[in-house]
């Protein structure tokens, strides 16, 4: 198989990323959000929308095949990168 070109499209995931360290330290939930400051590097709030990346491969006959990538839900927990 040959790939003629690659398309990248940012998107949103179906859920959120939660700063598990902040939640474990006592952050309180107020409806759908958590109140307080994040503690895990890379978080600008305790709950942030999940992100995704769609990748389109353009084949020589101009067909585009798509695939998606997501991060893990619990970033910064269990030894994962924040």
């Amino acid at each position: 198989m040959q790939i003629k070109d690659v398309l990248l499209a940012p998107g949103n995931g179906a859920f959120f990323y939660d700063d598990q360290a902040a939640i474990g330290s006592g952050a309180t939930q107020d409806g759908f959000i958590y109140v307080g400051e994040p503690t895990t590097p890379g978080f600008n709030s305790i709950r942030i929308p999940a992100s995704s990346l769609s990748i389109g491969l353009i084949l020589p006959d101009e067909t585009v095949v798509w695939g998606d990538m997501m991060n893990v839900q619990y970033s910064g927990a269990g030894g994962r990168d924040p």
Side-chain angles (χ1 to χ4, degrees), residues 31-57:
F32 196 68
I33 64 168
Y34 285 91
V35 179
E37 294 296 316
T39 59
T40 301
F43 280 79
N44 56 10
S45 63
I46 295 174
R47 175 169 275 179
I48 58 175
S51 58
S52 66
L53 179 64
S54 295
I55 300 177
L57 303 178

Side-chain angles (χ1 to χ4, degrees), residues 6-65:
V6 176
L7 303 170
L8 301 175
N12 294 316
F15 198 64
F16 295 84
Y17 301 139
D18 292 335
D19 181 350
Q20 293 296 305
I23 293 168
S25 295
T28 58
Q29 194 168 6
D30 181 11
F32 196 68
I33 64 168
Y34 285 91
V35 179
E37 294 296 316
T39 59
T40 301
F43 280 79
N44 56 10
S45 63
I46 295 174
R47 175 169 275 179
I48 58 175
S51 58
S52 66
L53 179 64
S54 295
I55 300 177
L57 303 178
I58 302 176
L59 305 179
D61 67 356
E62 300 302 322
T63 300
V64 181
V65 293

